[in-house]
Amino acid sequence: LFSAGADGVVIAWDVSSGDIKDKKQTLGTVALKCSPENVSLPQIRTLDCYKDSNVFIAGTHRCDIWEVDETPEVLIHGHAASVKGLAMNPVQSSCTHFATACDSGRVCLWNMKARHLSRVMALGGPAGVGACSLGFSPDAKHLAVGMANGGVNITDGNTLQFYKLLKTFDTPVTDIKYSPNGQVLAAASNLFIDLFDPSQNYIKLGRCTGHAATVSHLDWATDSRVLSSNCNNYEMLYWDARTARQVKANQRDTDWDTYTCILGFPVMGIWPPGSDGTDINALDRAPSRDFVVTADDRGLVKLFNYPCVMKDPGVRDYRGHCSHVMNVRVSADSRRVVSVGGKDCAALQWRVITHRKPPAEASNPPYASREAWENPKCR
């Protein structure tokens, strides 16, 4: 008989006598070791043993699955709470990594090609301080983490080591993005968007005010001069990055470095019939600019052509999540897509496959074909 508990120790008991009286009936113990990024021992919640074997599987409170034998090791790393934050490494040569963040305050750096966890960071502070949003700097040297308590945690993009904590909000940071030139960091929380200067130790440059509801998504123009934002009141506003003031001029010809806002002319066709504006949680345009993916409340990841401006456009639906899909991102090479679920605490990786249509065969001419010498006019 095997038993385990919150101390991370698995004990094998001899129950041949039909009873457990003291520790003399212990056949052996195996203790799970805590990883360098976790100070506390993993608490075992479930056990299952291989048939006719001493090797068994253990599930922990961090949603990790261990294979326990003489040398215990983690088979699958998981999230212990709802996952909302997701960011892709923007460097083309290093587009194999992406980062996720969950409500338990755990930030993970994953390797897409090797399909394993590279780094883990646990946010400090009081219990319940989770991570809501993520954003890589253009050179991927920094990773900004938007926290549920309104803070912005700046970490190293490769090692996840702490660098600086910014605290200007009292509400969750819903979205966070660096400008394409890396000179400004924009963080959105509640009705406001704060701008910071990374080159000056992240001093605050200004605050954008004007939304009537919580800001949900941000995007930068390619020249880093204009910032676009969506809010839960279905507003789409534009901001001057130098003055933090609202730009009221038409931005129809502005070239956007990323497009993750769920509103706007280029993505007006993504909304299904009968939607109430809350169906789609996230969107991302591929860096190749030929398709866009969405994450919705039905647990679907959808693929559209870009731009998507027609009513009832062609769409492909992909299932895999058992709960709301909270975020979705496309890799820098446009060859992979990663989506994160809410209550299922899962991150799914998708491969983008291009289907090329075979060349169309030439149709038969509407007239009868005949040789030139058969034409009376050619004689």
Side-chain angles (χ1 to χ4, degrees):
L1 175 65
F2 292 98
S3 65
D7 57 357
V9 178
V10 182
I11 303 177
W13 304 86
D14 182 5
V15 294
S16 58
S17 62
D19 193 10
I20 299 178
K21 296 182 180 180
D22 50 35
K23 293 185 177 181
K24 293 182 179 180
Q25 294 177 271
T26 302
L27 298 178
T29 61
V30 177
L32 304 187
K33 298 180 180 180
C34 59
S35 54
E37 65 274 0
N38 294 313
V39 178
S40 60
L41 289 171
Q43 303 174 14
I44 300 177
R45 298 290 178 84
T46 58
L47 280 176
D48 192 14
C49 184
Y50 287 121
K51 186 177 180 180
D52 300 328
S53 173
N54 291 329
V55 179
F56 52 91
I57 301 297
T60 70
H61 72 295
R62 300 191 187 100
C63 294
D64 297 332
I65 299 178
W66 288 68
E67 182 181 55
V68 184
D69 49 17
E70 295 180 354
T71 56
E73 62 178 352
V74 180
L75 291 180
I76 300 176
H77 295 273
H79 299 93
S82 177
V83 189
K84 298 178 182 176
L86 175 63
M88 287 285 188
N89 190 313
V91 180
Q92 184 74 19
S93 59
S94 304
C95 61
T96 58
H97 288 82
F98 68 94
T100 59
C102 64
D103 287 345
S104 65
R106 195 179 189 186
V107 179
C108 303
L109 188 64
W110 306 84
N111 187 312
M112 285 190 291
K113 289 188 176 180
R115 300 178 186 177
H116 69 75
L117 182 64
S118 300
R119 299 279 182 176
V120 179
M121 178 189 68
L123 296 177
V129 177
C132 305
S133 53
L134 294 171
F136 276 103
S137 61
D139 56 6
K141 291 183 178 180
H142 286 174
L143 174 64
V145 183
M147 302 168 64
N149 64 355
V152 176
N153 197 325
I154 308 299
T155 64
D156 187 280
N158 297 317
T159 63
L160 297 185
Q161 291 183 351
F162 173 79
Y163 175 73
K164 188 177 181 63
L165 178 64
L166 312 175
K167 189 68 171 68
T168 58
F169 300 116
D170 295 323
T171 53
V173 180
T174 51
D175 199 5
I176 190 166
K177 280 189 175 66
Y178 284 87
S179 61
N181 59 12
Q183 297 179 4
V184 183
L185 171 66
S189 178
N190 199 5
L191 310 179
F192 312 110
I193 305 171
D194 283 356
L195 305 179
F196 304 91
D197 186 356
S199 64
Q200 300 294 326
N201 201 23
Y202 287 91
I203 63 172
K204 185 176 177 180
L205 300 176
R207 168 168 287 188
C208 306
T209 60
H211 276 288
T214 301
V215 181
S216 56
H217 302 87
L218 300 173
D219 282 309
W220 282 97
T222 305
D223 58 7
S224 301
R225 294 183 178 181
V226 180
L227 177 68
S228 171
S229 59
N230 283 170
C231 74
N232 293 338
N233 201 32
Y234 314 116
E235 291 179 327
M236 190 166 189
L237 303 183
Y238 304 100
W239 312 92
D240 190 322
R242 294 168 296 180
T243 63
R245 294 181 179 179
Q246 184 177 347
V247 178
K248 297 185 178 180
N250 196 318
Q251 300 297 316
R252 61 180 299 175
D253 296 326
T254 302
D255 183 49
W256 300 102
D257 182 63
T258 60
Y259 208 103
T260 60
C261 290
I262 59 177
L263 303 176
F265 178 78
V267 295
M268 59 186 295
I270 65 172
W271 295 94
S275 60
D276 60 358
T278 63
D279 305 82
I280 298 176
N281 300 316
L283 171 150
D284 193 24
R285 182 196 65 189
S288 59
R289 304 194 178 200
D290 56 351
F291 68 90
V292 62
V293 289
T294 64
D296 62 27
D297 283 345
R298 298 174 57 193
L300 298 176
V301 176
K302 293 185 178 181
L303 175 67
F304 299 86
N305 287 324
Y306 181 86
C308 183
V309 297
M310 298 178 60
K311 184 179 180 180
D312 298 329
V315 57
R316 290 180 179 269
D317 301 342
Y318 300 95
R319 300 181 182 273
H321 291 279
C322 65
S323 180
H324 300 341
V325 186
M326 301 306 298
N327 211 336
V328 63
R329 288 292 182 266
V330 185
S331 62
D333 58 2
S334 300
R335 300 177 61 182
R336 291 180 176 85
V337 174
V338 174
S339 60
V340 293
K343 298 300 181 181
D344 64 6
C345 306
L348 302 184
Q349 182 182 166
W350 311 81
R351 181 181 291 110
V352 179
I353 301 176
T354 303
H355 294 282
R356 300 186 182 277
K357 294 183 179 180
E361 296 182 359
S363 59
N364 294 327
Y367 49 86
S369 60
R370 55 183 177 179
E371 299 295 339
W373 60 271
E374 296 180 353
N375 191 338
K377 295 183 180 182
C378 296
R379 295 177 180 175

